[in-house]
Amino acid sequence: MDRRHLEYFVTVAELGSFTRAAQALSIAQPSLSNAIGWLERDLDIRLFDRHGRGVRLTPAGEALLEPARRSLRSFEVARGAVRAVSQAGFGRLSIITNTLWAVEPLARLVGEFRALHPRVQVTVADPIWHGDVLETVRMGGAELGLVDGTPPGGTLESRWLADLEMMAVCPPDPTSAPTVGRADKESITIGDLSERGLVCTPDGTVLRGIVAEPLLTAGLSTDVAVETAHLAAVAPLVLAGAGAAVLPRAMADDAAVKGARVRPLDPPLRRSVHVIWRKRRASDLALGFVDFCVEACSAGS
């Protein structure tokens, strides 16, 4: 089979009719029927059941549909990467997001994407404040951005990437048996963390907003014991005994390897991360990367 056969198959499956699919593809219906017949003979199985004026997928057709869609998206990613290549021989992709989401899920996605497209150069910028991501993408300062919470509308489009769990990260306890590299099963409340003293980034940053939300819900002060402008210093400060913190699971797991005690929060605290871009302004490479990320995150979850 080739790309053309897969495109024909997906179109017929989505429209439920050879006639409508032929019109959408701008080809003669006999040519479409012959192509699907060739695909069924190649696979040695029937993909469609004909009924009345339409068709429906057989179990074998259902099994093929999603892999076929993934294959077609992979073709588009490759096409976008080639179209975006500059005279210097590189495609360039600019992304802006805060460090939390740059660590997870973005780092893994960029790594997997560049393994497939090593001629693509990726720039990841860090905003000073949370709202800077939206404004930078709106103004064209970056093609893509990663944000949490309710995705924006208006001039921006968005796709869901991941729901990430926030974890409580506490200093090592010399009186307890070590649990290095794994999380405790016993949960802890945000109030308990606040009593121990919280380590966090300044007002206006993503992490501070995430921490402040459950504190306000519980009727507690949003003051923190240690405020640092350096997100990378939060876990070391916790390990040094300066206080406790709330971090995404990926960063919490790194702290656990170094001896921190990681526990789930009660109630659980999760953040939905979306990728955003300007409507009708993103390059083929950027849109290809979006499709790749959505597919990779869906497969991972």
Side-chain angles (χ1 to χ4, degrees), residues 188-207:
I188 189 171
T189 68
I190 192 71
D192 291 334
L193 292 183
S194 182
E195 289 180 3
R196 300 181 183 199
L198 282 164
V199 178
C200 199
T201 49
D203 285 333
T205 60
V206 171
L207 183 60

Side-chain angles (χ1 to χ4, degrees), residues 11 24 31 61-62 81 85 101 106 111 126 134 147-148 151 165 171-172 177 191 197 207 227 247-248 260 264 271 281:
T11 304
S31 298
E62 293 281 0
V85 170
W101 317 138
L106 185 59
D126 187 16
L134 299 177
V147 296
D148 62 292
E165 184 178 9
L207 183 60
E227 182 178 285
L247 291 171
R271 306 299 287 189
R281 296 294 185 89

Side-chain angles (χ1 to χ4, degrees), residues 9 23 55 94 103 132 155 194 202 206 220 232 240:
F9 165 74
Q23 292 172 347
V55 295
S94 59
V103 172
D132 291 346
T155 60
S194 182
V206 171
L220 301 172

Side-chain angles (χ1 to χ4, degrees), residues 251-270:
M251 299 180 73
D253 288 345
D254 287 342
V257 171
K258 298 174 183 177
R261 291 177 297 131
V262 175
R263 300 168 64 178
L265 285 165
D266 181 21
L269 181 58
R270 297 182 177 88

